[in-house]
Amino acid sequence: MTRRTALKAAAVLPAAPALIGAQAAFAQTEPEAKPDIPPYRRMTVGDMTVTTLLAGTRPLSEPQGTFGTNASPEDFAALSKEAFIPTDTSLNFFTPTLIETGSEKILFDTGLNPEGMTAALMAAGHTPEDITTVVITHMHGDHIGGLRGEAGTTFANAKYVTGQAEFDHWSQAGNDTFESKVRPLADQFTFLKGGDSVVSGITAVEAFGHTPGHMAYRVESGDQSLVLAADTANHFVWSLRRPEWEVRFDMDKEAAAATRKSLLGMIAADRVAFVGYHMPFPGVGYLEPSGPGFRFVSMAYQLNV
């Protein structure tokens, strides 16, 4: 049995008592999440093991106030109806990604809080102490929230990586979440720019607009590729099908729309899988060009065979 075969076999084993306990802890940290959703999905990209981790969910009322703020109510309603989703509510997912490569366990983003992040990791068979590197794609609170809590630093043995432009912006922004979650770890960070590598096979891609230094990452191993798109697109219909629709949390809305069109266009043209931090869990899919945007095709078993 090869390592790859063993990993695939482990992914379908029945839940152990520890997993059940971790799922219970997850449910307690996000009591509004219903129905319960299994908090991890493991897959392979070449020789790398990739696990998406559901660190929390949150319902949202009046979603056009967040997604498609420059769309007419009629167009927003028509697209929603076409996609079989309601116009008056949505469910947001918060999905960090763990990549295992050799002895490295690299976590991309950390969810809303340490409790949700830790519970998802435990469900997948890991502890925060196992993490060797934490990569922050950008510094909105739902991506840095799990870095620290009342018990102190969550990832005691990790080093930290983020984009230089992103850190420079938030270090001068007077943001309370940055000051409490990131500032105490500042001397443990290393910084990169587009084209730099976290490790061999994981390359930073500049995806500015959502925040001033927002980064995506391209993962390549063997003949397979995956793009961690982070918050390039924030909704699987409203942001993908209409990339020109503005999102309330995009700090530079024109740049964010341009990034959506270029990065999502590259993903579609290359026919590679991508992980979207806020896509429906497990957050992994493909993109098919469709009209002015893209149709989300959820992953089935492509990365498990």
Side-chain angles (χ1 to χ4, degrees):
M1 179 178 285
T2 66
R3 175 179 177 273
R4 183 180 174 107
T5 304
L7 286 169
K8 291 176 182 175
V12 297
L13 288 174
L19 171 57
I20 295 171
Q23 289 174 325
F26 175 83
Q28 291 170 7
T29 61
E30 294 292 337
E32 75 275 14
K34 55 182 185 180
D36 288 339
I37 301 170
Y40 75 96
R41 172 68 181 268
R42 186 175 290 123
M43 63 209 83
T44 55
V45 175
D47 292 329
M48 299 185 188
T49 301
V50 178
T51 306
T52 56
L53 301 158
L54 184 58
T57 64
R58 180 180 290 166
L60 177 69
S61 60
E62 300 182 4
Q64 194 182 354
T66 297
F67 310 103
T69 57
N70 60 332
S72 71
E74 295 77 15
D75 287 346
F76 190 84
L79 182 60
S80 302
K81 182 178 180 180
E82 179 183 321
F84 300 94
I85 56 176
T87 60
D88 60 348
T89 187
S90 64
L91 184 63
N92 209 3
F93 301 83
F94 303 88
T95 309
T97 298
L98 175 67
I99 297 182
E100 297 173 74
T101 169
S103 60
E104 294 283 334
K105 292 187 177 184
I106 306 168
L107 180 66
F108 290 80
D109 294 327
T110 67
L112 294 157
N113 52 56
E115 295 77 18
M117 184 72 260
T118 297
L121 277 170
M122 289 176 59
H126 306 279
T127 69
E129 291 75 21
D130 294 336
I131 303 303
T132 59
T133 303
V134 175
V135 180
I136 301 298
T137 64
H138 66 291
M139 295 193 179
H140 279 160
D142 56 321
H143 294 255
I144 62 175
L147 286 172
R148 289 175 52 82
E150 293 183 1
T153 300
T154 306
F155 308 100
N157 300 317
K159 56 187 178 182
Y160 301 87
V161 177
T162 197
Q164 183 72 66
E166 185 72 1
F167 185 90
D168 289 349
H169 169 81
W170 291 102
S171 67
Q172 303 173 52
N175 178 270
D176 290 343
T177 306
F178 175 90
E179 295 300 328
S180 64
K181 302 285 187 175
V182 179
R183 182 77 72 185
L185 303 170
D187 61 354
Q188 299 176 51
F189 271 87
T190 58
F191 305 101
L192 43 66
K193 61 184 182 302
D196 292 343
S197 295
V198 179
V199 295
S200 178
I202 303 178
T203 306
V205 179
E206 293 180 354
F208 300 167
H210 182 65
T211 61
H214 179 272
M215 287 285 193
Y217 290 85
R218 182 146 186 157
V219 180
E220 298 176 294
S221 179
D223 60 354
Q224 291 185 299
S225 296
L226 173 78
V227 175
L228 304 178
D231 280 16
T232 299
N234 293 93
H235 192 273
F236 79 110
V237 173
W238 300 315
S239 295
L240 294 180
R241 298 289 295 272
R242 298 293 186 271
E244 75 278 6
W245 283 5
E246 295 178 354
V247 177
R248 177 162 62 100
F249 296 113
D250 287 343
M251 296 175 69
D252 183 332
K253 292 176 172 52
E254 183 177 351
T259 292
R260 277 192 289 278
K261 293 175 182 177
S262 61
L263 183 61
L264 300 177
M266 179 270 290
I267 292 169
D270 291 353
R271 296 178 62 85
V272 298
F274 82 105
V275 178
Y277 192 79
H278 297 296
M279 298 297 107
F281 194 76
V284 188
Y286 299 84
L287 292 175
E288 177 187 23
S290 177
F294 309 89
R295 185 173 71 88
F296 180 71
V297 181
S298 183
M299 186 193 81
Y301 51 76
Q302 296 94 328
L303 300 179
N304 291 113
V305 296

